[in-house]
Amino acid sequence: MNKETKDLEDKLTAIERDYYTERNARRLSEEKLELLYSSTSWRITKPIRLFKLTAILVVDKLRTAIPIGKQKIGTAKISAFENYPFLFFYLASFKRFKNPYMSHIAEVNLHSREESQKPKVSIVIPTYGKLDLTLTCIKSIWTHRCTSQYEIIVVDDAAPDGSSQFLSMIDRIATVINPTNLGFSGSCNAGAAESKGEFILFLNNDTEVHDDWLDALVETFSSHKNIGLAGSKLIYPSNQIQEAGGIIWSDGNGYNYGNMGDPERPEYNYLKDVDYCSAASVIVKKELFQKIGGFDLRYSPAYYEDVDLAFQIREHGYRVVYQPLSKITHFEGGTAGNDTSQGIKAYQLINREKFQTKWQEKLKEQYPPDPPNYLTCARQRFNKKSILVLDTCSPTPDQDAGSLVVLQTFAAYLELGYSVTFIPADNFLYMEGYTKQLQQLGVHCIYAPYQTSVQQHLADCGGFYDAVIMYRPEIAELFLANVRLSCPNAKVIFNTVDLHYLRLQRQAEIEDSQALRKESEEMKRREMYLMKNCDLTVILSQTEIALLKEEESLKDSALIFLPLIVDVPGRTSNFKSRENILFVGGYNHPPNVDAVLYFAREVMPILRKKKAGLIFQVLGSNPPQEIQNLASEDVQIVGFVPTLDDYFNKARLSVVPLRFGAGMKGKVVSSLAYGLPVVSSTIGIEGSGILADEHVLVADDPALFASKIIQLYEDQILWERLSNSGVDFANKNFSKESVLEKLVAIVE
């Protein structure tokens, strides 16, 4: 009990102490307040306090009595806040409205970029209030990687919150202030009228851009023909797809392809023609936009103007494409909301009817909204036919000539209007750089982890393919039965690349190998079986076509000769500015390894005696150790180089000392295309139509090979004749344009 009594006494003492402390503090405050009220300054400022109170009461009464527009009220409020902050500092609206914007603007201005005097692109951002979204959008433009020169034009559509007053505080942007509300279409047109760029890019203010977003859009126009409009991949803040290109059905309704999907899936990551792209982020050439007359104002204030623009661009003969490398985070509804039953969003339904009326004939060409597998149909909307290509792995055009030919074939089919899907069937590997290169051509690439089975893909999508091309016998053997089962409408095509059995047969002769002879015989049996059981076999050599036509077992088989397809850049430097001789090849291919070893060991010693100082450059990926061991003062093992242009344009001549092989040799064709004269073995030009002494020099004996090299290296007249004839021959026989008819014949 004594302890409990003591505790109570202590608590009472503490309470009493707190009470007297509070009482003394209050007395002190009352004394200070009394001093303030009796001071001279308080008496002098009394009229100001009465004026402020009266002004507030009067303004409130005027606001209710006089119908002043919301915009004017907002503008007046901003002006008052800016010029007389001491009158309003205590208002909650002043703190809520002014301070956050001012701090946000200051933060954005820290990242501003020097405005380009000659912008390539004019970025037009239409706004209606929501200044915080606009500021975030502008900051994202300034802080993300971009090499294209641009200007930013912000259009304020007579927003009632007075936010236009703040736009002038943002550094290095141009502003357009609409005197009255023009809606989205009118605001975009107003911004476009003030643009200085070659391109106009329309960007919603409720967006944030990603690295390289603008460069990807601009480069679309330079890397593809006849582009009229390109649109970005739109992503929700949740990192799900909002739109990967838009679809318009025959009833005029729209569909955001890929909506809520994974943005990394293959089907959303290749460039393709689409019905339209949302104007949240689209780029168009200014000249074309002006020719069309801008956005059609019948769709004011908003919705369907972007769909209409895409349809008009196609009517003018241009393409509308989706560019997946341009990524935009879109806070959809951040400006207009999401409820289509009220507000500006209601015009989504109203304007659909206007669109249906204007484009009723064109809509008949669109897909209905509910056929079987309608998404697969719609995403291939503008293609003649669909081609599936199966090969071991993705083409690596900077490492071997064969891959370069495959790439050119893909490009040709796409330009002809076919859709191309590619599966690297051995590994389903996404190869950074190489896969993206195909996707940017417009190839739909299938890869892991999204799909890892050719059979499954065929089961899911086989019915939509009109042609299936299988490269190499090992691929055709694996999947021929599945293709026949799952692709009932498809023409089945076997591309040999080269006759494997013939190459092995020749290698067996060079090496005197009984094992290789047996392997050659077995390979011939396999290749013959595939030729008999496919609808068509593509042969890349005239010699091989002639050889196969002698085979009795193939008398009913369809064979077609297809030349190699290469770019033909022509010659860019003259004879005297060039030096060195080069060999190009990939060294996973045995004939190339043998050719380099043979040349270094048999031909180079003769050259050293007869013309000392010639440098032999060995280019190509994966040179084995036995080739690397050849390195010396006059033998340079260069290895892999990302582009061959510099070497083709600086070398005096190219050598192709192949002793065995099959098919047409890409290294010879590529050299001719660059105007680089060639000394080749007979096998090097076999089946190509290339003629000795007219297009190249030919030798099979080491001494004669060396003699031809010296002759061509020293004789400028001969060099120029072969260079010119080589380019002419390449243009007539190996350019993309020269083989288009054969490409069509293969798949039709």
Side-chain angles (χ1 to χ4, degrees), residues 572-584:
T572 60
S573 56
N574 59 32
F575 174 84
K576 291 183 178 179
S577 66
R578 295 167 174 260
E579 60 182 359
N580 304 332
I581 57 180
L582 61 81
F583 176 89
V584 178

Side-chain angles (χ1 to χ4, degrees), residues 67-86:
I68 302 174
K70 289 183 178 180
Q71 182 191 0
K72 291 183 178 180
I73 293 173
T75 301
K77 181 187 288 185
I78 295 299
S79 180
F81 282 177
E82 285 295 316
N83 295 300
Y84 308 104
F86 65 93

Side-chain angles (χ1 to χ4, degrees), residues 575 610-611 652 709-717:
F575 174 84
K610 294 190 174 183
K611 190 170 178 62
R652 181 73 61 88
I709 288 173
I710 294 169
Q711 179 189 7
L712 187 53
Y713 204 92
E714 294 178 342
D715 189 336
Q716 182 174 349
I717 294 175

Side-chain angles (χ1 to χ4, degrees), residues 426-444:
D426 262 8
N427 52 24
F428 280 81
L429 184 64
Y430 178 92
M431 298 180 69
E432 188 65 43
Y434 299 117
T435 302
K436 185 181 291 184
Q437 185 178 19
L438 290 178
Q439 291 172 323
Q440 281 299 291
L441 272 180
V443 178
H444 179 195

Side-chain angles (χ1 to χ4, degrees), residues 315-330:
E315 282 290 282
H316 281 73
Y318 293 90
R319 296 170 61 195
V320 175
V321 299
Y322 159 70
Q323 174 51 272
L325 294 184
S326 177
K327 300 176 184 177
I328 304 289
T329 297
H330 186 204

